[in-house]
Amino acid sequence: MDIFNHKSDQLIMEKKKIEKYARQRDEMVRKQIESRGITDPKVLAAVRKVPRHLFVNEALMDQAHGDYPLPIGEQQTISQPYIVAEMTQTLQLTVDDRVLEIGTGSGYQAAILAEIVFRVYTVERIHSLFVKARKLFDTLRYHNIVTKYADGTCGWRDESPFDAIIVTAGAPEIPSALVSQLAVGGRMVIPVGNQFSQDLTKLCKDEKRTRQTSLGGCRFVKLIGEQGWKEE
Ligand code: SAH
C-alpha cells in the first residue's frame, strides 16, 4: 500500500510539473510571440506544443520560457523563443517541405520544424551537443529528424535540394554551398554579419536569381567551418 501511495504521489507531482510548463509555454506564446506579430498558426501551435524545458539543463528548466537565450554548454546557446518563432515563420513552411538546419545545438529549433514539416535534416559540429540532441529526439519520438555530425557550412549535398534552409549561427557571409542546395522556390534564413551583431537575412531563390531582404538585427554564436568563421 505504501509503495502504491508513493508511486501515485510521484505521478501527481509529475503531472503538476507538466501542467506548470504547459502554462508557461502558453504565456510565452501570448506575451512574447503573438504580441510581437507572429501569426502563422502552424508556428504558434508548434511553439505551444514542444516542451522547451526539456531542451535545457535541469537547473535552468524554470527559466526555459524567459524572453532570452540560455546556455546549453560548450559555450553555445538555445535561441530566445521569439527569434525561433520569427525564423520559422519566415521560412513559410508547408507540410511536405524538406528543411535543412545548420546548428542543431539543443535541438529545440529542429523540434519546432519537425512539428510542421515532413522531414528535418539538422547538422551540428560539436559532438557532445549532437549526441545529446539525437537522444532527446529519440526520447520525444521525433522520427522525422535526421541528424548529422559535420561542418554544416558545406550543407548536406546528398539530401539536397531543400525547400527551406535555416542557419542558427552567425555567418560572415552566406555560404555558397547552401545557396546551391536550396531548391528553386526555396527560402533561407541566416544571420549575416560580424561576430558581435548580425542582420537576420532572408534569401529567396527563383529560376533566374536570388533575392535578399533584411529582417533586422540579431546576435548569434559564430558559424564555424569551411564557409564560415575560422576555428579559434
Ligand atoms: N538551433 C539551436 C541553436 C544552437 S546555437 C537550438 O535550437 O538550440 C548554434 C549551434 O550552431 C551551436 O550548437 C554550434 O556548435 C553550431 N554550429 C556552429 N557552426 C557550425 C557548423 N559549421 N556546422 C554545424 N553546426 C555549427
Side-chain angles (χ1 to χ4, degrees):
M1 198 58 183
D2 265 337
I3 292 171
F4 176 75
N5 278 339
H6 180 67
K7 270 201 167 164
S8 65
D9 281 354
Q10 259 186 348
L11 278 176
I12 289 167
M13 269 167 59
E14 198 52 42
K15 196 166 163 242
K16 283 202 166 138
K17 212 159 97 182
I18 290 169
E19 285 167 359
K20 175 180 89 175
Y21 288 127
R23 274 197 307 276
Q24 288 185 7
R25 282 201 302 281
D26 201 55
E27 188 175 320
M28 171 183 95
V29 170
R30 281 186 289 109
K31 293 194 176 160
Q32 301 171 34
I33 297 174
E34 281 182 317
S35 67
R36 293 186 183 130
I38 303 297
T39 53
D40 185 335
K42 295 191 289 280
V43 176
L44 296 171
V47 180
R48 268 207 179 88
K49 184 168 172 198
V50 176
R52 182 168 162 96
H53 66 283
L54 298 181
F55 292 81
V56 299
N57 283 338
E58 203 157 358
L60 293 175
M61 279 188 182
D62 283 337
Q63 294 176 60
H65 306 93
D67 197 9
Y68 36 73
L70 284 171
I72 55 170
E74 307 280 359
Q75 297 169 313
Q76 307 302 319
T77 54
I78 176 174
S79 304
Q80 179 191 6
Y82 170 72
I83 288 284
V84 173
E86 187 191 22
M87 290 175 87
T88 309
Q89 176 168 272
T90 298
L91 293 175
Q92 297 166 288
L93 299 170
T94 50
V95 66
D96 50 2
D97 280 344
R98 298 166 73 250
V99 183
L100 173 67
E101 178 194 31
I102 309 303
T104 314
S106 68
Y108 179 68
Q109 173 74 71
I112 295 288
L113 296 167
E115 290 287 343
I116 302 173
V117 302
F118 171 67
R119 189 146 289 154
V120 179
Y121 298 84
T122 182
V123 186
E124 172 56 54
R125 68 177 283 277
I126 297 178
H127 193 257
S128 62
L129 296 176
F130 157 77
V131 171
K132 212 169 156 186
R134 180 68 262 168
K135 279 194 187 138
L136 191 53
F137 296 148
D138 291 341
T139 306
L140 298 176
R141 300 206 179 89
Y142 282 113
H143 301 308
N144 61 336
I145 301 179
V146 190
T147 49
K148 181 156 112 166
Y149 168 55
D151 169 13
T153 63
C154 304
W156 193 328
R157 220 181 44 188
D158 292 350
E159 296 294 349
S160 69
F162 299 96
D163 303 297
I165 298 179
I166 176 169
V167 182
T168 60
E173 50 194 65
I174 301 179
S176 58
L178 298 184
V179 180
S180 66
Q181 291 175 27
L182 192 62
V184 169
R187 295 83 53 201
M188 183 183 334
V189 63
I190 175 170
V192 184
N194 62 40
Q195 27 180 315
F196 306 108
S197 79
Q198 303 95 33
D199 242 346
L200 194 56
T201 307
K202 179 183 184 185
L203 182 148
C204 297
K205 185 173 178 178
D206 62 29
E207 280 102 0
K208 295 197 193 86
R209 58 185 188 131
T210 63
R211 269 173 300 129
Q212 277 181 43
T213 46
S214 168
L215 307 170
C218 58
R219 185 174 180 165
F220 279 79
V221 296
K222 282 202 272 184
L223 180 76
I224 297 173
E226 206 177 303
Q227 294 193 32
W229 296 98
K230 297 296 153 257
E231 212 148 339
E232 280 119 41

